[in-house]
Every structure is written in C-alpha cells, then in structure tokens.
C-alpha cells in the first residue's frame, strides 16, 4: 500500500469510527436479525440468482467485512471465510458477532489489515467485497487485488456504487462542501437541505441519521465506477458476467440457449450502460416507469401477437388468409415506425436534468436561502430514492 492509499484509508476509518455505517444490533434484537436475514436472502436468491447453497462448502475471501453482521450469513450458509477488515473497532465487533451466533471458530479467520496488504498462497472459490472499494484511493487496484485471489471457476461478488447512480448524492456532497467549513457544518446543512432524503434513508435503511450523514457526506472518499469500467475490470481479469442487480445485461436478446458462442458482455460497454441515465434520475420504484412503458408497448405487442398467431399451428388443412396477414404486417410496421416507446420511459430524465440546471446556477450565487427554495421546489432532483445507492455484480472466472 502506498502513502496516498494509506492516508485515504486512515481518513475513511477515522470517519467510520465516529459513526459506523454498518452496525445492526442483530445480537440483541431478534427482529433486526430476521430483517438482515431476509435482506441477504432477497439479494442473493431473488436478485443475483446465487442461492445460499452456492456458499456451502466453499472457501470465501471478503475485503472490507466491516462489523460482520452480513458476513455472518456466509458462514451460516456453510462457507469457510477469511475476512479482511482495516478498522480495528469493526474487526473486534465482527469477532463478537460470530461468537454470539455460535459459529465454529475453525470456519473463519478475521484479519485486521488493509485489503491492499493482504497476501495469501491459496486461491478461493468466492471472493467478494461490498461497498468498500469505492472508498479506497485506487478502486481498480483494489478490485484487481481481490480477484487475484480467485480460483478459475470461482465467483467474484462485487457491491459497488455507480457514478451515474450516485450522481445525486455527489451533487449533495458538492453543495455541502461549498457551504461548510467543518464536519459540524456538513451535519447542519445536510439537515437543512436534504431532510427529505435523510428521513427516507433512516426509514428504509434502518441506520441512524448521523451514520447516514457521515457515510454519505463526511466520508472523504467516494469514487465509484461506471458500468463500462466494471466491465473492463471483468475483461482484464478473465471474468464473465454471471448476474447483476440492477440487471445490466440487455433483455433484447434472441440467441437460442443452444448457441455455443457465449456472449461476452464485457465487450459491450455502451449496451451495458444503457440504464445509467435512469439510475441517475431515479426517484421512485421500477413499477412507476415500467407501467408507462407497458402501456406504450401494448399496441406493438398486440399487433405482433396478431400476426404470430395467424401463422401459428400451421396444419395441412389450415386455410391462411394472406390478405389479412399482410394487413397485420403493415399495421405492425407502421406502429414500430411511428411510436417512440421509450419517450415516456426517459421523460423523467429530462425534467430531472432541468432541475439540475437550476440548482447548479443557484449554487454559484452562494445564497443559502435561495438554494433551499430551489431544492424544496425541485420536482425530481433529490426526491425519493435520489438515484441508486449500490450496484451488485457477480463474475465467473474463466481460463485465459
């Protein structure tokens, strides 16, 4: 680890020792334990298609295991884990968590050291890092070092922010830094400007307000990659995309499952980045945007099915009305040519960018009262989810 990497790591640890971002009292609160359990199962089963059984009997390495609440589930699912955590306070709490859950001591080894300093002669079946490498001074080197410990045929699980998804949080950070001279100022102005966001984050994230402020705003380093960068990391390290959340692999594919030529997603950077503008402007649930798209698609889908069914179940004695079929083909062609089905799907992004323009112009005037009025009156910016907090990727390591 070089001097700059060490300096950034020490500053991040100092911030987290003031307000730890990942502490959940699962050892004393049964409801909190069950919430964490459900969260982990939902992530791996329903989002990443990587069920707990995949951990059973595996060797696992985690960079940045934090206070151990989530890491404990890998052990409970049957993995043997090596956990690397630089923060001494988080390291000590993780040991207490594992002991409280009566996890076999022989199934884990927790190391209090920088992820950059970790060395091992063995290779692991699963390597993972969740919400960590974007807090280092060199995110690509951190990722490469993680994957260097992975077996061929093993899985890399990466939880990392996306630069578009975190655009709104980073804009919040830039506003706070423009007006703040101290950590106390950051806390004060965060509550003044972004109380709606903080209220929501407290409710759904189940963390204290101060933990959210310190993790999101006081934290000195948040350097997140684009989808394209992650795909390049995968390509450089012989990883094939296995799954992701939100999904980045395009749904508009037509290859047969029998096609022997596997599509290497890492080479399709722009296609994989298609959703980044939506992540940037996101302020609600998927059902809202997808419902608009669903309505728009209805005429195309119905006309597609009309001609598909006309040509379905063809038998020797079936009489085909080719005039009717041709009419259906022409109707579908006209529908596709004349309907911009994605216009409404992306309409929020236009309104969002208009909000951003107004806020940026206001920041330069250094008028706190005016800025607050602009933020409060924004229709999309800093509303609801305020972008996308984290992305999850799983890669499968192949031979060179």
């Amino acid at each position: 680890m070089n001097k700059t990497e060490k300096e950034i790591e020490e500053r991040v640890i100092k911030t987290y020792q003031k307000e730890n971002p990942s502490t959940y009292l699962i050892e004393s609160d049964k409801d909190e334990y069950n919430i964490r359990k459900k969260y982990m199962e939902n992530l791996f089963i329903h989002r990443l298609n990587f069920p707990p059984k995949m951990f059973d009997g595996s060797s696992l390495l985690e960079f940045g295991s934090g206070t151990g609440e989530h890491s404990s589930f890998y052990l409970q699912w049957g993995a043997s884990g090596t956990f690397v955590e630089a923060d001494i306070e988080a390291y000590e709490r993780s040991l207490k968590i594992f002991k409280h859950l009566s996890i076999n001591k022989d199934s884990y080894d927790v190391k209090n050291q920088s992820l950059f300093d970790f060395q091992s002669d063995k290779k692991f079946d699963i390597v993972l890092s969740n919400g960590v490498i974007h807090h280092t001074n060199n995110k690509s080197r951190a990722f490469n070092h993680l994957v260097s410990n992975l077996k061929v045929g093993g899985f890399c699980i990466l939880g990392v922010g996306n630069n578009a998804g975190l655009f709104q949080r980073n804009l919040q950070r830039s506003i706070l830094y423009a007006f703040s001279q101290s950590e106390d100022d950051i806390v004060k102005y965060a509550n003044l400007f972004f109380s709606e966001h903080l209220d929501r984050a407290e409710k759904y994230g189940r963390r204290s307000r101060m933990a959210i402020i310190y993790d999101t705003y006081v934290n000195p380093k948040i350097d997140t990659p684009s989808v394209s960068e992650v795909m390049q990391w995968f390509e450089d390290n012989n990883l094939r995309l296995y799954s992701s959340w939100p999904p980045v692999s395009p749904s508009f594919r037509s290859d047969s499952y029998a096609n022997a030529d596997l599509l290497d997603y890492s080479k399709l950077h722009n296609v994989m980045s298609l959703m980044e503008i939506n992540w940037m402007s996101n302020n609600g649930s998927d059902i809202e945007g997808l419902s608009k798209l669903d309505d728009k698609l209805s005429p195309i889908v119905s006309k597609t099915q009309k001609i598909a069914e006309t040509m379905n179940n063809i038998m020797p004695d079936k009489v085909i009305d080719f005039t009717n079929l041709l009419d259906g083909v022409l109707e579908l062609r006209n529908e596709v040519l004349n309907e911009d089905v994605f216009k409404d799907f992306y309409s929020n992004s236009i309104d969002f960018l208009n909000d951003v323009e107004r806020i940026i112009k206001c920041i330069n005037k250094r008028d706190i009262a005016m800025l607050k009025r602009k933020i409060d009156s924004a229709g999309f910016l800093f509303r609801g989810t305020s972008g996308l907090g984290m992305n999850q990727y799983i890669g499968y390591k192949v031979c060179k």
Side-chain angles (χ1 to χ4, degrees):
M1 179 168 58
N2 63 41
K3 182 178 179 181
T4 304
E5 289 168 348
K6 184 175 178 61
E7 177 186 330
I8 291 296
E9 184 176 274
E10 289 175 347
R11 290 173 62 194
V12 171
I13 290 173
K14 184 178 179 180
T15 300
Y16 284 161
Q17 288 181 343
K18 293 178 181 178
E19 292 288 343
N20 191 281
S22 63
T23 298
Y24 299 95
L25 301 179
I26 65 173
E27 73 275 27
S28 58
D29 187 335
K30 186 176 180 179
D31 288 341
E32 189 61 54
Y33 174 85
N34 288 331
I35 288 170
R36 293 298 106 202
K37 181 173 183 287
K38 183 177 181 181
Y39 162 82
M40 292 292 283
E41 290 173 345
N42 184 55
L43 172 61
F44 283 98
I45 297 173
H46 301 296
R47 298 290 188 259
L48 295 174
N49 299 315
F50 199 86
K53 188 175 182 180
M54 299 283 278
F55 290 90
D56 192 16
S58 69
S59 58
L60 177 146
L61 170 66
E62 181 175 17
F63 277 1
S65 48
T67 46
E69 288 89 341
H70 293 144
S71 304
S72 70
F73 288 98
Y74 308 134
L75 299 174
Q76 294 178 75
W77 292 341
S80 296
T82 298
F83 302 100
V84 181
E85 175 51 54
D87 182 346
I88 183 63
E89 294 180 6
Y91 159 83
E92 291 175 346
R93 173 165 169 76
S94 67
L95 291 175
K96 292 178 181 177
I97 290 291
F98 296 165
K99 181 178 180 180
H100 174 80
L101 295 172
S102 300
I103 296 172
N104 186 342
K105 289 184 178 180
D106 294 333
S107 69
Y108 62 87
D109 179 20
V110 188
K111 298 180 181 296
N112 179 217
Q113 65 179 144
S114 169
L115 63 87
F116 289 113
D117 293 336
F118 175 79
Q119 297 294 330
S120 177
D121 293 330
K122 67 179 290 188
K123 300 293 185 183
F124 296 83
D125 299 312
I126 298 172
V127 299
L128 65 93
S129 185
N130 190 24
V132 174
I133 70 170
H134 55 244
H135 295 312
T136 69
N137 190 60
N138 193 329
K139 57 185 182 290
S140 61
R141 193 166 93 84
F143 180 80
N144 292 340
H145 187 40
L146 174 68
V147 177
S148 71
N149 294 282
L150 181 62
K151 292 178 181 177
V152 171
F155 292 91
C156 170
I157 304 171
L158 176 66
V160 66
N162 172 271
N163 59 357
L166 280 179
F167 173 86
Q168 295 193 55
R169 319 286 172 88
N170 284 325
L171 182 57
Q172 290 174 340
R173 283 166 65 89
S174 66
I175 289 171
L176 295 176
Y177 296 163
F179 291 94
S180 300
Q181 301 298 319
S182 65
E183 288 183 9
D184 289 341
D185 284 346
I186 292 174
V187 173
K188 178 178 71 175
Y189 288 122
N191 280 296
L192 175 67
F193 292 135
F194 311 124
S195 59
E196 178 183 321
H197 171 72
L198 292 171
D199 288 345
R200 188 183 187 282
E202 272 191 284
K203 178 180 178 180
Y204 292 105
R206 300 182 66 81
R207 297 189 295 172
S208 72
R209 201 176 192 85
M210 287 297 284
I212 296 164
I213 290 174
Y214 269 74
D215 189 27
T216 310
Y217 308 131
V218 178
N219 192 323
K221 189 69 172 181
I222 303 179
D223 179 17
T224 54
S226 65
V227 171
S228 179
E229 284 180 272
V230 174
M231 292 300 99
Q232 188 63 55
W233 295 349
F234 274 37
E235 184 176 357
D236 293 343
N237 287 278
N238 300 308
L239 292 170
R240 288 285 181 87
L241 183 68
Y242 171 84
S243 65
S244 62
W245 194 266
V248 296
S249 56
S251 60
F252 36 89
R253 293 189 57 194
S254 305
D255 281 348
S256 163
Y257 69 85
N259 189 334
D261 296 323
L262 294 176
L263 177 59
D264 186 355
Y265 289 112
S266 66
K267 299 184 184 301
L268 302 172
H269 293 199
N270 294 323
V271 173
M272 305 294 275
S273 305
L274 184 64
M275 289 301 296
E276 284 185 325
I277 188 172
N278 263 35
W279 298 344
M280 180 184 286
S281 59
N282 184 45
N283 67 354
S285 63
D286 286 339
I287 191 64
E288 297 170 10
L290 291 175
S291 292
K292 294 180 181 179
L293 181 59
D294 190 68
D295 291 341
K296 283 283 188 179
L297 287 171
S298 179
I300 291 178
V301 171
S302 64
K303 288 178 173 61
T304 300
Q305 283 301 310
K306 177 181 177 180
I307 65 174
E309 278 301 310
T310 300
M311 297 304 291
N312 191 28
N313 194 28
I314 300 298
M315 299 179 70
D317 58 350
K318 183 173 181 178
V319 177
I320 304 297
D321 184 346
F322 285 102
T323 300
N324 184 53
L325 175 62
L326 179 59
D327 289 342
V329 169
L330 296 176
E331 288 176 10
L332 177 58
R333 185 182 68 180
N334 289 335
E335 193 70 49
V336 171
L337 286 173
N338 296 324
E339 182 60 78
D340 183 357
V341 296
F342 289 102
K343 184 176 180 180
D344 282 348
F345 192 58
Y346 286 114
S347 63
N348 284 2
S349 298
I350 302 300
D351 295 326
F352 159 79
L353 292 170
N354 290 335
D355 282 344
V356 173
E357 178 188 12
R358 287 189 285 268
I359 294 298
I360 290 174
K361 289 179 177 179
C362 191
I363 294 173
N364 292 330
K365 296 181 180 179
R366 293 295 192 274
D367 185 324
I368 292 175
M370 178 187 294
L371 179 59
K372 178 167 173 52
R373 288 196 299 272
K374 292 292 184 182
I375 291 173
D376 289 345
S377 63
F380 291 86
L381 183 63
F382 306 144
R383 297 291 170 259
T385 57
S386 296
L388 175 67
M390 285 282 291
N391 288 62
Q392 298 284 340
Y393 306 87
I394 298 183
Y396 174 78
K397 188 171 181 67
V398 298
C399 294
K400 291 184 180 180

